[in-house]
Amino acid sequence: MFALAALSTSCGGDAPAAEVPASEAPAGAASSRLVVAVVDFSGSLTSHATSDARAYLKEVVQGLDFGDRFVLLEMYRTGTRDSVGRFVQDMPDAMRPDAITSYDRRQLDAAKRGVLNALPVFFDPRFVGSVPTTDILTTLHIASEYLRDADERTKELLLLSDMLQSTPSGFEFGGARRMPTDGWVASQQSASRIPPLDGTCVVVIGGDPTTPAGQQVRAFWIDWFEAAGAALEPANYRARPPVEVIGCD
């Protein structure tokens, strides 16, 4: 089973350049973000959907800024936790947030390139194969381990997935064939089996709410994330990538 180790990009070697004039400096530094992106390469996804997801993810990476952290996870497969590909990259801090230099920009661009260079591995079927099962619930437990280390960063969870939980001896969300019963989320919450995702903004790209079964699946995930302390707004549950990257307030 293929697994990625956590990677990092080393950037440096150039001396700091002259500072950008104050008139061109940002008015104020926005709070840093922790973006955890999960890539679903399950057999239920079409090649077109996978291509759309990859293009959208590139746009997300291009929007990263100084001090952000980006985590890329492969959807959990049936097997051990070591089967999950993982990539972690911190964006550099600016030397002076009120006066961004060309050196700062080069450092940031190099960190983004490190992420973009890692993306193909997560979308290459030679490495990840076609996964017949999709264990989203287990993947979310893994994602929570990264989100709880956000420090002061705002937390965003991006799920590039059709959100169809499918395990041999568990649920089958496809066509809503084996959905959790009413009260299942509450019982899991009472038993502390839902990971804490407090304050996390969730975006889903690939879920289809246009059918009765799809609406049932979406309703489940909205309830589940609410129980986890996260927010999945119906407008952030999309079948196709939007024209612009969806932001989180």
Side-chain angles (χ1 to χ4, degrees), residues 117-194:
N117 289 339
L119 288 187
V121 177
F122 284 80
F123 289 91
D124 192 330
R126 294 175 301 173
F127 297 121
V128 300
S130 180
V131 185
T133 62
T134 305
D135 195 344
I136 302 170
L137 291 168
T138 296
T139 304
L140 291 172
H141 279 270
I142 298 171
S144 72
E145 297 173 3
Y146 292 93
L147 289 163
R148 71 181 61 178
D149 294 329
D151 297 324
E152 298 301 316
R153 297 180 177 93
T154 60
K155 296 180 286 188
E156 303 175 19
L157 176 60
L158 171 61
L159 296 164
L160 299 165
S161 171
D162 56 18
M163 302 306 289
L164 299 180
Q165 173 80 13
S166 176
T167 53
S169 58
F171 299 124
E172 178 53 68
F173 283 19
R177 288 189 289 275
R178 292 198 308 274
M179 295 292 295
T181 58
D182 292 341
W184 184 86
V185 170
S187 67
Q188 295 293 296
Q189 185 179 24
S190 297
S192 299
R193 292 174 183 161
I194 293 182

Side-chain angles (χ1 to χ4, degrees), residues 11-74:
C11 311
D14 294 328
E19 294 180 352
V20 173
S23 61
E24 299 179 20
S31 59
S32 298
R33 304 152 59 209
L34 167 59
V35 180
V36 177
V38 177
V39 176
D40 178 1
F41 213 98
S42 63
S44 59
L45 293 181
T46 65
S47 59
H48 185 71
T50 301
S51 177
D52 283 350
R54 181 173 176 176
Y56 183 83
L57 196 53
K58 287 182 178 179
E59 292 298 320
V60 172
V61 173
Q62 294 293 359
L64 295 172
D65 208 341
F66 296 102
D68 290 349
R69 174 175 294 166
F70 182 81
V71 178
L72 185 60
L73 298 176
E74 184 183 9

